[in-house]
Amino acid sequence: MTRPETPNRLDRILLTGAAGGLGKVLRQSLRPYARILRLSDLAPMDPAGPGEEVVPCDLADRDAVDALARDVDAILHFGGVSVERPFEEILDANIRGIFHLYEAARRNGVKRVVFASSNHVIGFHKQTETLDAHAPRRPDSYYGLSKSYGEDVASFYFDRYGIETVSIRIGSSFPAPANRRMMSTWLSYRDLTALLERALFTPGVGHTVVYGMSDNDVVWWDNRHAAHLGYAPQDSSRVFRDQVEAQPAPPADDPSMVYQGGAFVAAGPFEAPAARARPPVAGAELIVDARHGVGESPVWQAAEQALYWVDIPGRTLNRWRAEDGSHTAWTAGEQIACLARHGDGWVAGMESGIFALRPEAGGQLAQTLLARIPHALAGMRLNDGRCDRQGRFWTGSMLMDMAQGAPVGALYRLDSAQPGQTLSPRLDGLVVPNGIAFSPDGRTMYVSDSHASVRRVWAFDYDTRTGTPSNRRLFIDMNSFPGRPDGAAVDAHGCYWICGNDAGLVHRFTPDGRLDRSLAVPVKKPTMCAFGGPGLRTLFVASIRPQGIDLSDQPLAGGVFALNPGVAGLAEPAFRG
Ligand code: NAI
Ligand code: 15L
């Protein structure tokens, strides 16, 4: 098909979900196709640049969505809940949301919509089947059901009001396929953009359903009914084959190997979230209404029956005593991000390096620099950290401006308490290192990257004699589970508990990477968990209190909570340096 020399161009295109993973990519790649790109999301967005309008909007707010679609020529609908979540959340964002969007299109005379549908409308079909757009739907989740409803709304608004839609059943659109399943479902950002161009500018699409995939070698989808779009993918997952196949293969009966929708078929069921949304959550006890900007790094001290944690922007070390519920804080000269016990003080990952800290009368912390960190860029600090089972201290660095998404973070290991050291990275290329934890025998190390563009947890073989991680492999792809993978702890059974930041959940994964259970906290941003209390049978969770947003649905944000995980944890080693 011949393409015009100069790109097709509309006057104003509305992009919902502009703060999301794909929204951020499309904000750049769609620039040539509209004089003005109107960007909308519930989450914060970067300020408008030339040729942009930034309009915050909750899709559940009918009047706001109506205003959003004014003076718009076409809508790219990417906003909504993008993973399996409790039905009520999906109801507001995806089901009410798409209804509001089409009503707004009708009232404002918008004639073209592109709907980011999903492979999860057909996710319960087996990977041995080949489906075209007329194949029966088999949604694999509440999420898949909502996308299926979205496609029906699109069909109805074409039949009834002549609003044309291309529903793209997107496979897995990420920088690279993360696992074997995604070798078939992967859609590169370049191909997504090309498909959107076709979906916006092909005349007479009625309601077309197209599978969003690149030119992958083994595919399950046949786009014969969307041939009129002239979509010709340029990329293929085959270039990632070696790196994907280097990962251990999941068992043949694992959902990710059987069903087109992969792990979604086994997600949930979720507890009734009406109770979740109203704090306090049953079973989650608020122990300190700390209102910390970024509460992090809870560590239990059995000898004192006390929990310690930090508030990163507040530069404080905090202690809660179980016997009287008292809360005490000490202030440091730099932001403190992570802690491990060291003698009767602490070793802590901070901004410029790793320090020994000692609480002093008067609420100050005496600090001694043990090791300087030669950060790759200005504006970096240390983040998550803990000791391995032998007492070596591990911590990771990150750029404080997370919006940049720069993979300049690295992991460092401190072996000795000798002041004046300078450490070299042990692992680099991370955006926001997190989730550092060790198996009960110390021979597996876990590390996550909680940045929205990554959302993965890796496992490593760990040489307990030398403190060297090797054989890195994907442990959990949190893109398939609610929340970004933040801080973690391992329990006595070797299961990995990790905070699902932005999802208000703490997940327990078995050592083979299966989701075992998810516990709710009454805040959206739990950061890190730690076992403590009698018999180490309490799971303490720290959290973030976001600035500048309405917190009426999470008034306890920034608090520290105690949950009953139903299992015992392990004592965390002190720094032995
Ligand atoms: P994402 O979760 O990163 O982005 C979704 C955005 O929607 C977020 O920024 C979120 O704040 C916003 N949002 C959620 N509820 C909202 C509400 N009530 N009002 C306004 N905005 C709201 O997801 P991603 O990966 O960027 O996906 C974008 C769209 O594409 C989603 O609709 C997703 O279901 C769909 N999709 C994505 C796939 C992928 O591989 N990335 C695969 C299949 C479908
Ligand atoms: C989706 O629909 C999700 O939005 C995305 O996060 C991935 O999980 C993708 O499907 C997939 O199936 O890989």
Side-chain angles (χ1 to χ4, degrees):
M1 173 166 295
T2 316
R3 296 269 185 274
E5 288 288 314
T6 46
N8 286 312
R9 196 167 155 92
L10 292 171
D11 191 58
R12 183 179 277 107
I13 294 177
L14 165 63
L15 173 66
T16 67
L22 296 183
K24 287 199 184 100
V25 171
L26 297 175
R27 184 172 181 171
Q28 304 304 322
S29 68
L30 293 173
R31 273 267 22 102
Y33 302 114
R35 185 180 66 84
I36 295 172
L37 210 47
R38 179 174 294 171
L39 303 156
S40 183
D41 204 293
L42 188 64
M45 293 164 283
D46 288 343
E52 290 182 340
E53 295 169 347
V54 168
V55 185
C57 171
D58 183 347
L59 291 161
D61 180 340
R62 183 175 178 148
D63 293 342
V65 176
D66 194 45
L68 191 61
R70 255 168 238 155
D71 303 323
V72 156
D73 299 294
I75 302 173
L76 301 178
H77 184 42
F78 278 69
V81 172
S82 64
V83 290
E84 183 61 330
R85 294 291 296 139
F87 179 70
E88 283 72 6
E89 288 178 34
I90 289 187
L91 178 64
D92 272 346
N94 294 17
I95 296 182
R96 290 207 170 91
I98 198 160
F99 172 69
H100 294 162
L101 192 93
Y102 274 89
E103 276 296 282
R106 178 183 67 75
R107 285 198 292 265
N108 289 290
V110 183
K111 288 297 183 195
R112 179 64 60 104
V113 177
V114 181
F115 170 43
S117 184
S118 169
N119 70 88
H120 296 287
V121 303
I122 48 83
F124 254 117
H125 283 280
K126 298 263 176 70
Q127 293 180 5
T128 47
E129 298 172 70
T130 302
L131 310 179
D132 64 24
H134 296 169
R137 293 183 206 148
R138 296 185 71 178
D140 59 18
S141 46
Y142 300 140
Y143 166 70
L145 281 171
S146 75
K147 294 291 184 181
S148 188
Y149 170 77
E151 291 187 7
D152 281 341
V153 172
S155 171
F156 168 72
Y157 276 83
F158 173 63
D159 290 337
R160 179 70 180 81
Y161 300 111
I163 299 172
E164 295 193 284
T165 297
V166 176
S167 289
I168 306 180
R169 290 182 182 167
I170 303 174
S172 307
S173 195
F174 299 105
N179 51 40
R180 283 171 164 73
R181 170 180 164 272
M182 288 192 194
M183 290 300 292
S184 294
T185 59
W186 187 61
L187 171 66
S188 72
Y189 293 153
R190 178 166 67 156
D191 286 342
L192 171 64
T193 304
L195 181 50
L196 289 176
E197 189 272 333
R198 293 291 68 226
L200 280 170
F201 297 108
T202 303
V205 294
H207 177 220
T208 295
V209 171
V210 60
Y211 291 93
M213 59 185 164
S214 283
D215 183 23
N216 305 327
D217 287 343
V218 177
V219 293
W220 311 319
W221 306 323
D222 175 344
N223 269 333
R224 79 180 76 180
H225 301 298
H228 52 282
L229 294 180
Y231 165 57
Q234 303 295 304
D235 295 314
S236 170
S237 61
R238 81 178 65 92
V239 297
F240 300 101
R241 181 170 304 287
D242 289 347
Q243 87 184 47
V244 169
E245 291 186 352
Q247 301 169 13
D253 62 350
D254 189 278
S256 69
M257 302 294 276
V258 177
Y259 296 99
Q260 298 196 0
F264 277 60
V265 305
F270 291 99
E271 296 301 320
R276 259 186 21 81
R278 274 196 309 273
V281 165
E285 184 196 348
L286 176 74
I287 62 161
V288 183
D289 189 5
R291 300 180 182 228
H292 282 161
V294 184
E296 268 285 5
S297 199
V299 180
W300 178 251
Q301 281 306 292
E304 296 176 61
Q305 291 292 298
L307 185 78
Y308 284 80
W309 76 99
V310 300
D311 173 21
I312 300 179
R315 304 179 171 193
T316 54
L317 168 70
N318 296 265
R319 181 188 65 199
W320 170 81
R321 274 205 173 119
E323 65 174 13
D324 59 3
S326 61
H327 173 206
T328 310
W330 295 267
T331 304
E334 287 189 2
Q335 299 187 62
I336 321 177
C338 58
L339 290 175
R341 195 70 181 175
H342 180 222
D344 55 0
W346 297 90
V347 62
M350 300 179 53
E351 290 176 50
S352 56
I354 304 174
F355 288 77
L357 296 181
R358 184 173 301 278
E360 291 189 323
Q364 297 301 306
L365 285 166
Q367 56 188 66
T368 308
L369 180 63
L370 300 181
R372 200 178 65 79
I373 300 293
H375 291 304
L377 294 178
M380 294 183 69
R381 64 163 167 80
L382 291 169
N383 193 39
D384 184 76
R386 72 150 39 82
C387 287
D388 68 12
R389 302 261 170 234
Q390 288 68 43
R392 305 176 189 96
F393 184 66
W394 281 90
T395 178
S397 64
M398 59 176 272
L399 196 58
M400 286 186 255
D401 179 6
M402 283 173 63
Q404 291 191 34
V408 292
L411 288 193
Y412 299 87
R413 193 188 77 204
L414 183 75
D415 297 342
S416 125
Q418 188 70 37
Q421 304 172 61
T422 299
L423 299 184
S424 305
R426 302 276 171 175
L427 179 79
D428 55 17
L430 298 160
V431 186
V432 183
N434 249 313
I436 300 173
F438 295 85
S439 59
D441 66 4
R443 293 169 59 192
T444 304
M445 179 179 185
Y446 300 100
V447 178
S448 77
D449 190 323
S450 54
H451 194 264
S453 64
V454 188
R455 292 173 65 161
R456 297 199 168 90
V457 188
W458 298 275
F460 298 77
D461 295 340
Y462 190 74
D463 185 332
T464 55
R465 198 177 49 80
T466 60
T468 311
S470 62
N471 186 23
R472 176 178 177 169
R473 65 254 180 206
L474 187 68
F475 175 51
I476 306 159
D477 183 355
M478 283 280 291
N479 291 292
S480 299
F481 298 99
R484 292 180 295 108
D486 209 320
V490 166
D491 69 27
H493 303 269
C495 291
Y496 183 76
W497 291 80
I498 184 148
C499 290
N501 195 326
D502 289 329
L505 295 170
V506 187
H507 303 294
R508 182 188 197 228
F509 288 93
T510 59
D512 59 358
R514 288 166 201 259
L515 180 63
D516 167 71
R517 69 191 74 158
S518 300
L519 303 184
V521 285
V523 294
K524 293 188 177 154
K525 291 176 154 298
T527 53
M528 186 175 176
C529 51
F531 287 92
L536 297 175
R537 297 191 74 86
T538 301
L539 190 68
F540 292 103
V541 181
S543 69
I544 288 176
R545 189 172 185 84
Q547 307 296 304
I549 65 161
D550 176 15
L551 294 174
S552 53
D553 58 344
Q554 47 166 342
L556 305 181
V560 181
F561 302 89
L563 311 183
N564 176 4
V567 294
L570 295 166
E572 288 302 329
F575 178 54
R576 302 256 161 80

PDB file of all heavy atoms in Angstrom, residues 535-552:
ATOM      1  N   GLY A 535       6.786 -14.289  67.533  1.00  0.00           N
ATOM      2  CA  GLY A 535       6.992 -15.388  66.595  1.00  0.00           C
ATOM      3  C   GLY A 535       7.207 -14.943  65.165  1.00  0.00           C
ATOM      4  O   GLY A 535       7.111 -15.752  64.242  1.00  0.00           O
ATOM      5  N   LEU A 536       7.499 -13.667  64.966  1.00  0.00           N
ATOM      6  CA  LEU A 536       7.675 -13.090  63.609  1.00  0.00           C
ATOM      7  C   LEU A 536       6.449 -13.399  62.741  1.00  0.00           C
ATOM      8  O   LEU A 536       6.558 -13.656  61.544  1.00  0.00           O
ATOM      9  CB  LEU A 536       8.952 -13.618  62.939  1.00  0.00           C
ATOM     10  CG  LEU A 536      10.270 -13.270  63.630  1.00  0.00           C
ATOM     11  CD1 LEU A 536      11.451 -13.967  62.932  1.00  0.00           C
ATOM     12  CD2 LEU A 536      10.494 -11.748  63.628  1.00  0.00           C
ATOM     13  N   ARG A 537       5.247 -13.336  63.352  1.00  0.00           N
ATOM     14  CA  ARG A 537       4.031 -13.691  62.631  1.00  0.00           C
ATOM     15  C   ARG A 537       3.210 -12.458  62.239  1.00  0.00           C
ATOM     16  O   ARG A 537       2.051 -12.575  61.835  1.00  0.00           O
ATOM     17  CB  ARG A 537       3.179 -14.664  63.452  1.00  0.00           C
ATOM     18  CG  ARG A 537       3.902 -15.999  63.703  1.00  0.00           C
ATOM     19  CD  ARG A 537       2.958 -17.037  64.288  1.00  0.00           C
ATOM     20  NE  ARG A 537       2.034 -17.527  63.262  1.00  0.00           N
ATOM     21  CZ  ARG A 537       2.305 -18.523  62.425  1.00  0.00           C
ATOM     22  NH1 ARG A 537       3.449 -19.163  62.510  1.00  0.00           N
ATOM     23  NH2 ARG A 537       1.423 -18.907  61.522  1.00  0.00           N
ATOM     24  N   THR A 538       3.800 -11.278  62.387  1.00  0.00           N
ATOM     25  CA  THR A 538       3.123 -10.052  61.940  1.00  0.00           C
ATOM     26  C   THR A 538       3.880  -9.514  60.736  1.00  0.00           C
ATOM     27  O   THR A 538       5.115  -9.561  60.697  1.00  0.00           O
ATOM     28  CB  THR A 538       3.132  -8.994  63.069  1.00  0.00           C
ATOM     29  OG1 THR A 538       2.460  -9.542  64.201  1.00  0.00           O
ATOM     30  CG2 THR A 538       2.452  -7.707  62.639  1.00  0.00           C
ATOM     31  N   LEU A 539       3.126  -9.023  59.749  1.00  0.00           N
ATOM     32  CA  LEU A 539       3.783  -8.389  58.597  1.00  0.00           C
ATOM     33  C   LEU A 539       3.551  -6.882  58.709  1.00  0.00           C
ATOM     34  O   LEU A 539       2.406  -6.414  58.656  1.00  0.00           O
ATOM     35  CB  LEU A 539       3.181  -8.914  57.284  1.00  0.00           C
ATOM     36  CG  LEU A 539       3.950  -8.517  56.027  1.00  0.00           C
ATOM     37  CD1 LEU A 539       5.317  -9.203  55.984  1.00  0.00           C
ATOM     38  CD2 LEU A 539       3.148  -8.875  54.769  1.00  0.00           C
ATOM     39  N   PHE A 540       4.647  -6.143  58.931  1.00  0.00           N
ATOM     40  CA  PHE A 540       4.558  -4.686  59.010  1.00  0.00           C
ATOM     41  C   PHE A 540       4.752  -4.100  57.612  1.00  0.00           C
ATOM     42  O   PHE A 540       5.606  -4.588  56.841  1.00  0.00           O
ATOM     43  CB  PHE A 540       5.627  -4.140  59.959  1.00  0.00           C
ATOM     44  CG  PHE A 540       5.401  -4.517  61.393  1.00  0.00           C
ATOM     45  CD1 PHE A 540       6.146  -5.526  61.999  1.00  0.00           C
ATOM     46  CD2 PHE A 540       4.420  -3.879  62.142  1.00  0.00           C
ATOM     47  CE1 PHE A 540       5.933  -5.892  63.316  1.00  0.00           C
ATOM     48  CE2 PHE A 540       4.197  -4.232  63.475  1.00  0.00           C
ATOM     49  CZ  PHE A 540       4.954  -5.241  64.061  1.00  0.00           C
ATOM     50  N   VAL A 541       3.978  -3.072  57.310  1.00  0.00           N
ATOM     51  CA  VAL A 541       4.025  -2.486  55.967  1.00  0.00           C
ATOM     52  C   VAL A 541       4.120  -0.967  56.088  1.00  0.00           C
ATOM     53  O   VAL A 541       3.285  -0.340  56.759  1.00  0.00           O
ATOM     54  CB  VAL A 541       2.764  -2.864  55.147  1.00  0.00           C
ATOM     55  CG1 VAL A 541       2.833  -2.278  53.747  1.00  0.00           C
ATOM     56  CG2 VAL A 541       2.586  -4.379  55.082  1.00  0.00           C
ATOM     57  N   ALA A 542       5.121  -0.373  55.449  1.00  0.00           N
ATOM     58  CA  ALA A 542       5.243   1.092  55.401  1.00  0.00           C
ATOM     59  C   ALA A 542       4.590   1.601  54.114  1.00  0.00           C
ATOM     60  O   ALA A 542       4.322   0.818  53.199  1.00  0.00           O
ATOM     61  CB  ALA A 542       6.713   1.488  55.433  1.00  0.00           C
ATOM     62  N   SER A 543       4.336   2.910  54.040  1.00  0.00           N
ATOM     63  CA  SER A 543       3.613   3.408  52.858  1.00  0.00           C
ATOM     64  C   SER A 543       3.962   4.861  52.544  1.00  0.00           C
ATOM     65  O   SER A 543       4.623   5.543  53.322  1.00  0.00           O
ATOM     66  CB  SER A 543       2.104   3.266  53.063  1.00  0.00           C
ATOM     67  OG  SER A 543       1.648   4.156  54.060  1.00  0.00           O
ATOM     68  N   ILE A 544       3.462   5.283  51.385  1.00  0.00           N
ATOM     69  CA  ILE A 544       3.717   6.640  50.860  1.00  0.00           C
ATOM     70  C   ILE A 544       2.460   7.496  51.024  1.00  0.00           C
ATOM     71  O   ILE A 544       1.357   7.019  50.822  1.00  0.00           O
ATOM     72  CB  ILE A 544       4.079   6.546  49.355  1.00  0.00           C
ATOM     73  CG1 ILE A 544       5.477   5.965  49.184  1.00  0.00           C
ATOM     74  CG2 ILE A 544       3.960   7.903  48.653  1.00  0.00           C
ATOM     75  CD1 ILE A 544       5.900   5.748  47.736  1.00  0.00           C
ATOM     76  N   ARG A 545       2.682   8.758  51.354  1.00  0.00           N
ATOM     77  CA  ARG A 545       1.584   9.726  51.330  1.00  0.00           C
ATOM     78  C   ARG A 545       1.828  10.679  50.166  1.00  0.00           C
ATOM     79  O   ARG A 545       2.668  11.594  50.242  1.00  0.00           O
ATOM     80  CB  ARG A 545       1.537  10.508  52.639  1.00  0.00           C
ATOM     81  CG  ARG A 545       0.284  11.380  52.775  1.00  0.00           C
ATOM     82  CD  ARG A 545       0.177  11.980  54.163  1.00  0.00           C
ATOM     83  NE  ARG A 545      -1.070  12.718  54.328  1.00  0.00           N
ATOM     84  CZ  ARG A 545      -2.227  12.161  54.666  1.00  0.00           C
ATOM     85  NH1 ARG A 545      -2.308  10.864  54.892  1.00  0.00           N
ATOM     86  NH2 ARG A 545      -3.320  12.894  54.789  1.00  0.00           N
ATOM     87  N   PRO A 546       1.136  10.473  49.032  1.00  0.00           N
ATOM     88  CA  PRO A 546       1.409  11.321  47.857  1.00  0.00           C
ATOM     89  C   PRO A 546       1.042  12.782  48.144  1.00  0.00           C
ATOM     90  O   PRO A 546       0.133  13.049  48.924  1.00  0.00           O
ATOM     91  CB  PRO A 546       0.497  10.735  46.771  1.00  0.00           C
ATOM     92  CG  PRO A 546       0.025   9.425  47.286  1.00  0.00           C
ATOM     93  CD  PRO A 546       0.079   9.497  48.775  1.00  0.00           C
ATOM     94  N   GLN A 547       1.776  13.669  47.508  1.00  0.00           N
ATOM     95  CA  GLN A 547       1.532  15.103  47.684  1.00  0.00           C
ATOM     96  C   GLN A 547       0.607  15.602  46.574  1.00  0.00           C
ATOM     97  O   GLN A 547       0.660  15.100  45.459  1.00  0.00           O
ATOM     98  CB  GLN A 547       2.852  15.886  47.595  1.00  0.00           C
ATOM     99  CG  GLN A 547       3.938  15.395  48.523  1.00  0.00           C
ATOM    100  CD  GLN A 547       3.563  15.561  49.976  1.00  0.00           C
ATOM    101  OE1 GLN A 547       3.252  16.663  50.409  1.00  0.00           O
ATOM    102  NE2 GLN A 547       3.569  14.481  50.736  1.00  0.00           N
ATOM    103  N   GLY A 548      -0.211  16.574  46.907  1.00  0.00           N
ATOM    104  CA  GLY A 548      -0.955  17.317  45.876  1.00  0.00           C
ATOM    105  C   GLY A 548      -2.082  16.548  45.223  1.00  0.00           C
ATOM    106  O   GLY A 548      -2.497  16.906  44.122  1.00  0.00           O
ATOM    107  N   ILE A 549      -2.574  15.472  45.854  1.00  0.00           N
ATOM    108  CA  ILE A 549      -3.757  14.802  45.300  1.00  0.00           C
ATOM    109  C   ILE A 549      -4.779  14.612  46.405  1.00  0.00           C
ATOM    110  O   ILE A 549      -4.460  14.706  47.591  1.00  0.00           O
ATOM    111  CB  ILE A 549      -3.430  13.431  44.652  1.00  0.00           C
ATOM    112  CG1 ILE A 549      -2.937  12.425  45.704  1.00  0.00           C
ATOM    113  CG2 ILE A 549      -2.434  13.550  43.526  1.00  0.00           C
ATOM    114  CD1 ILE A 549      -3.045  10.991  45.243  1.00  0.00           C
ATOM    115  N   ASP A 550      -6.017  14.355  45.991  1.00  0.00           N
ATOM    116  CA  ASP A 550      -7.094  14.135  46.940  1.00  0.00           C
ATOM    117  C   ASP A 550      -6.871  12.801  47.651  1.00  0.00           C
ATOM    118  O   ASP A 550      -6.784  11.759  46.995  1.00  0.00           O
ATOM    119  CB  ASP A 550      -8.416  14.121  46.146  1.00  0.00           C
ATOM    120  CG  ASP A 550      -9.593  13.792  47.044  1.00  0.00           C
ATOM    121  OD1 ASP A 550      -9.438  13.855  48.276  1.00  0.00           O
ATOM    122  OD2 ASP A 550     -10.665  13.475  46.492  1.00  0.00           O
ATOM    123  N   LEU A 551      -6.756  12.847  48.970  1.00  0.00           N
ATOM    124  CA  LEU A 551      -6.480  11.608  49.716  1.00  0.00           C
ATOM    125  C   LEU A 551      -7.724  11.124  50.461  1.00  0.00           C
ATOM    126  O   LEU A 551      -7.619  10.325  51.388  1.00  0.00           O
ATOM    127  CB  LEU A 551      -5.333  11.840  50.700  1.00  0.00           C
ATOM    128  CG  LEU A 551      -3.963  12.115  50.060  1.00  0.00           C
ATOM    129  CD1 LEU A 551      -2.932  12.478  51.123  1.00  0.00           C
ATOM    130  CD2 LEU A 551      -3.482  10.910  49.259  1.00  0.00           C
ATOM    131  N   SER A 552      -8.919  11.603  50.046  1.00  0.00           N
ATOM    132  CA  SER A 552     -10.107  11.225  50.804  1.00  0.00           C
ATOM    133  C   SER A 552     -10.382   9.729  50.745  1.00  0.00           C
ATOM    134  O   SER A 552     -11.017   9.179  51.626  1.00  0.00           O
ATOM    135  CB  SER A 552     -11.329  12.011  50.330  1.00  0.00           C
ATOM    136  OG  SER A 552     -11.457  11.869  48.937  1.00  0.00           O
TER     137      SER A 552
END
